[in-house]
Structures are given as structure tokens and as C-alpha cells.
Amino acid sequence: MTDTETRLRDYLHTQAATFPDSAQGPGLEPPERRRHWPVLAAAAAIVVVVVLAASLMTRGDRPDPARRPAPPVSGAAPQVPYTVYEENSLHDGKQKVRIPTGVDGYFFGRAGGGWLGSKMPKTGQFQPGILLPNGAFRTLGPDRSGYQVLSPDRKQVAMYHYLSNTRGQVIVVDIRSGKQVTQLPAATGQPALLGWNQDGLWMDRGKAGLVVWQPASGQQRPVSIPGFDGAAAIPAAAGTIVVSAKAGGKRCLKAGALRDDGFKVLREYCDEGPEQLYPVLSPDGRTMIHSVRAEAIDVNTGQVTKLKLQDRMTDTLPLPVFENGTQLLTLTETVGSGGLVHNQLFRCDITSGECTLLVKKADGWTIHEP
């Protein structure tokens, strides 16, 4: 037995001896039959680890089998909605819809047989609604409402309704009927509606901090995330979210999930830099994107994959958008003559970092959540 194996064995024996006899393991047998489970488990672990260590040492310097090369990244058209400013149109698959005058060119996902957007005919007037495939715009909720967020099942939409310049309330409207189904009491100050997942509607109430509201039950729950500075990505179908935060003078992405005892941070990724980070998270909650550094971070393992882009990713609106769990659409910024910024559209595979150019001249393009 080598010195390394001997030290490893002695260490594991020492750790096993620290378990009290009364400790209970995860077995299903009655407590009186489990008194020696930790010691037996530790002993078994010693055997497994020592055998593994010996196996690794006998392998010498033989390289691991080469990883299979990632399949080429498709150059097919985007599988999410996108708008083209010059055409004043929205594209989604084979559908192309002319955006009516007065309707904003930014959309918040497919819903109600169309796409959730905003109508802003003039200053001081704004109202959510659905852009329909025939080009009509069906308004939802009262005038002077905005910051709309879709429910996870896309049957309802939450919005903030201004009752005055300083006072308002969060309301929820059923998309199919157009009727208001619930609301929070009117209050001073405007919360930022960040997203809606299985935990509820996430809101940033400024000095009051983060709050999660369950519209069905009316319950509100404060959530403490140290260093949170206002931005979040909250996929509807995942329990994991990611927020931007400041920690020790650094900017950070914090991925985590809401538990009974509070918010549990599953992965934190920090770096130096003056820019605020705007989080992007895959729909399955497994991968977060650091747009400033063009990096994909695996929430479970912490593995970082550099995206192979020559130019800077857009790191403010419009943010990169996931088509699925592994394919990311992003605009890049190329500085041309006279300091003019030009955009190109890429699709990147976050598992390999490989990227394919989809649109060389994408100035005025905006990509949207599916």
C-alpha cells in the first residue's frame, strides 16, 4: 500500500470514528437496527475509495478516451419569436405579422393565440395585450398598466396598474375572458415584477426586498438573498432562478431555489467588473449565462464553457434567449467605422461552446422569449 493510500485510509477511519452510535442513516429499518449504520457506511466507503485510488494509480498516465465531438450547430432559422424593426414585423416560424401602429416592438412570450405585448398609442397611455396572427391587438387589463408577466400555464397575466404617479396595485387578468381575477391591495411605490414560476410571482419591492406572491392563495412571502441588486431570470417551468448580486465588491450571479427555510444558493459565480449583470437562465434551470464574459455556467457542477464568439454578446435588452436546454440565441455587437455598432445573430451550443452565424446583418432585430 502506498503512502497516499495509507494516509487516505487513516483519514477515513478517523472520520468514521466521529459518528455517534445514535446517528441514523437513510435506511428504512427501525431505529434500533440502525445504530451502527454510519460506521458501517464509512467502512464501506473506505474500501470503495481505496480500491478506486489503487485503480487510478495503476492506470499510469493513460489518457481518458477522447470525448465525442459535439454535433455541428444548426444554421436553421430561429425557433423563437423575433422582430425586425425595419419591417415593423414579428416573425415566429412560418408566421409573419405586421405590428400595428402604437404597439411596442417588444414581446413577452406566446399566449392567448398570439404574443403578449404592450400598446402605447401616446405618452401616458399604455396597456398590455395580445398581438394576434391577423395583426389585430387585443388589449388586457385597465389603461396605465404595464410590466406584464405571464403565469406558468400562460393562462393569466400579472401587471402593475398605476392608480396615480406614486400609487398603484398588482393585478392578475385571465387572458381568455379578459377579466381581473385577483389583486394586491393598492400601495405607494412600484414593485418590479421579475417573473412567475411554481413558487409564485416574484417581485422586487425596493427597500422592502424580494417578495413571492401566490395569487391563488393570496399569501406573500419575503425572500432574503444577500447582495441582491435587482435583476433576475425566473423560468416558468423550473424551480431554480438566478439573480444578480454584489458580494465583497464583486458582481455575481447567484442561482438557487426557494426552500421551506429560505432561499438556498446552489451556485455562485463572481468576477470583477463595473457592469451590472443581467441574468439569463436555461428553461430547465440548469445553465446560467454570463453575457459580459460570454460564458455558460453549469449550475450543478460549476463547469464553465466559453462561447466561441469573436464579438461582444449583447448583455442588456434584448438579452440572449434559450431555444431549449442547450441552444442559445444571441446578438453580438461589432463596432464599425465611425463607432457605429452593428449586430449579428448567432446560435450557440452551451455544452461545446460552438456557435453558428444565423444572420450577418441583424441591425434592428430583437429576439423574444418563446
Side-chain angles (χ1 to χ4, degrees), residues 142-179:
D143 186 28
R144 290 181 57 80
S145 297
Y147 302 99
Q148 54 269 30
V149 174
L150 281 171
S151 63
D153 62 7
R154 302 184 183 232
K155 294 181 179 180
Q156 298 178 334
V157 57
M159 62 190 75
Y160 181 77
H161 178 212
Y162 286 88
L163 300 174
S164 70
N165 290 336
T166 59
R167 187 176 176 83
Q169 63 183 152
V170 179
I171 65 175
V172 176
V173 173
D174 178 79
I175 293 176
R176 183 176 180 180
S177 68
K179 295 181 179 180

Side-chain angles (χ1 to χ4, degrees), residues 25-50:
L28 300 177
E29 63 272 21
E32 62 270 18
R33 296 180 58 189
R34 279 189 263 157
R35 295 183 65 241
H36 300 292
W37 161 254
V39 177
L40 293 174
I46 293 171
V47 174
V48 171
V49 172
V50 171

Side-chain angles (χ1 to χ4, degrees), residues 106 278-280 291 314-321 329-330 367:
Y106 194 83
Y278 292 91
V280 177
S291 301
T314 57
D315 54 1
T316 57
L317 291 175
L319 291 170
V321 172
L329 290 176
T330 181
I367 49 179

Side-chain angles (χ1 to χ4, degrees), residues 31 41 67 84 100 180 183 187 204 219 223 227 232 243 294 306 326 345 358:
R67 292 179 60 185
V84 180
Q180 180 176 317
Q183 69 282 320
D204 178 13
Q219 294 181 342
V223 180
V243 302
K306 183 71 175 178
T326 60
L345 178 63
L358 300 185

Side-chain angles (χ1 to χ4, degrees), residues 51-66:
V51 171
L52 178 60
S55 173
L56 292 174
M57 290 181 181
T58 59
R59 288 177 56 189
D61 295 328
R62 285 183 299 167
D64 289 330

